[in-house]
Amino acid sequence: MENGSNNVPENANEHCPGTQSEDAGKSDACKGCPNQEACATAPKGPDPDLVTIAERMATVKHKILVLSGKGGVGKSTFSAQLSFALAAMDFQVGLLDIDICGPSIPKMLALEGQEIHQSNLGWSPVYVESNLGVMSIGFMLPNPDDAVIWRGPRKNGLIKQFLKDVYWGELDFLVVDAPPGTSDEHISIVQFLQATGIDGAIIVTTPQEVSLIDVRKEVSFCKKVGLNVLGVVENMSGLCQSLSDFKYVKMAENGEQQDATESILSIMKEKAPELLNVFAFSEVFDSSAGGAGRMCREMGVPFLGKIPLDPQLCRAAEEGRSCFADDNKCQVSAPALKLIIDKLLAQQMISRIENGA
């Protein structure tokens, strides 16, 4: 990000003129700099749209970003379930999907095929419930299979539109689901919202080092741009499932799998019915290096907890429903998510007391 008032990125070339200079991206010192294109195309001077964004966001009490340096860790699933949970607690909730190239939020809230409507107040979110509104580029694509092939400035322009043109009304929470990484979308959302007050970011990871390598970069990004890390969630923290929900197979000599589920369950019911209520746990990802908990201790950020890899939660996400709606289905993941959300709410209450809000 940028150093002080000079607006010089940390990875800039020597003699950088600064991102707000008229020579930004154009001077001899800019040649070969990784920021050259972004600096050359970025608008210079104060952005008049920031005033409009601040006015829109004045009715939003809490803004929480959900980030991850790694793709495929379940960040959108967490964003969707967090929004479902807050809405079920009678909070007014907005869920903003700024994953421009891979918008999965409409699917995860059963809103596929919905369209954005415009009123005299601006764009209207698509509502799951009266107190849960959603905005995503997924509602703007003529065909859900269409690829969004946009460069940074166009992505940033749409994110700005979402913030200044969407009429959310009074919100207790705005949850922002971001794409993986630390690039254009992340820099833009922080810059656009910073003056309006962001509570902070929740960072989602899986336990193995392959994921944590990238997630450490996300924590560093937050520290560099002054974004508070509310905590880290370790998702897919081991497969946990009732023995009665497993499919059992026998391996034939030729390597083929033979379904033995019916016979195994029959034996359990007859010989050991108590096993039908036992949950089996298997460590899918290697966490021998300490997982997210160790990373948090090393980097000085809060660890919010673990969410097991629960097939029922995966099914809830596919069907676009809350995992809290039927505790008998998501017996493993729903309690784990609730503990994490309770921690977050406790943080917000402390924040409000400290700020006199």
Side-chain angles (χ1 to χ4, degrees), residues 106-120:
K107 171 71 175 176
M108 291 186 174
L109 282 94
L111 295 174
E112 287 180 299
Q114 298 293 320
E115 296 180 356
I116 297 171
H117 298 286
Q118 187 138 11
S119 70
N120 58 335

Side-chain angles (χ1 to χ4, degrees), residues 33-279:
C33 177
N35 308 293
Q36 184 174 11
E37 183 180 353
C39 289
T41 57
K44 308 300 185 290
D47 187 344
D49 286 331
L50 293 182
V51 175
T52 307
I53 291 172
E55 290 171 353
R56 282 289 194 194
M57 293 293 110
T59 58
V60 180
K61 294 178 183 175
H62 298 286
K63 305 166 198 74
I64 296 174
L65 308 187
V66 181
L67 308 175
S68 180
K70 188 73 173 174
V73 298
K75 175 180 50 55
S76 294
T77 299
F78 180 82
S79 298
Q81 296 302 325
L82 172 62
S83 301
F84 275 130
L86 293 173
M89 296 174 189
D90 292 328
F91 289 113
Q92 295 291 327
V93 183
L95 175 54
L96 174 59
D97 180 8
I98 63 165
D99 192 341
I100 307 300
C101 295
S104 52
I105 288 298
K107 171 71 175 176
M108 291 186 174
L109 282 94
L111 295 174
E112 287 180 299
Q114 298 293 320
E115 296 180 356
I116 297 171
H117 298 286
Q118 187 138 11
S119 70
N120 58 335
L121 296 173
W123 289 352
S124 297
V126 177
Y127 284 90
V128 182
E129 304 286 349
S130 60
N131 65 333
L132 175 52
V134 181
M135 181 57 65
S136 170
I137 191 177
F139 301 136
M140 305 167 71
L141 300 177
N143 186 325
D145 295 331
D146 286 348
V148 179
I149 307 172
W150 289 2
R151 292 188 183 274
R154 194 172 178 192
K155 291 181 184 178
N156 298 341
L158 182 62
I159 292 171
K160 183 185 284 188
Q161 265 195 293
F162 281 158
L163 294 175
K164 73 185 182 70
D165 292 343
V166 176
Y167 178 69
W168 296 100
E170 298 279 343
L171 286 185
D172 294 303
F173 291 93
L174 178 65
V175 178
V176 181
D177 181 40
T182 54
S183 54
D184 287 323
E185 295 94 325
H186 309 82
I187 296 170
S188 295
I189 194 71
V190 173
Q191 287 182 337
F192 294 154
L193 286 180
Q194 214 146 34
T196 73
I198 311 174
D199 288 71
I202 301 167
I203 299 176
V204 182
T205 184
T206 45
Q208 78 278 31
E209 276 298 308
V210 169
S211 177
L212 292 169
I213 287 169
D214 292 334
V215 172
R216 286 186 179 92
K217 296 180 177 70
E218 197 77 42
V219 174
S220 297
F221 167 82
C222 291
K223 290 180 177 180
K224 285 181 179 179
V225 300
L227 180 61
N228 181 37
V229 177
L230 297 174
V232 175
V233 173
E234 184 178 282
N235 196 24
M236 305 185 201
S237 185
L239 172 66
C240 193
Q241 189 174 3
S242 168
L243 289 179
S244 59
D245 288 336
F246 273 94
K247 179 181 178 181
Y248 298 90
V249 297
K250 291 180 180 179
M251 299 300 295
E253 290 184 4
N254 62 1
E256 290 184 359
Q257 294 182 354
Q258 298 175 349
D259 189 359
T261 306
E262 190 174 333
S263 61
I264 296 295
L265 290 179
S266 178
I267 292 170
M268 279 191 197
K269 289 175 185 177
E270 182 182 349
K271 304 293 185 181
E274 66 276 7
L275 291 180
L276 295 173
N277 296 320
V278 172
F279 286 79

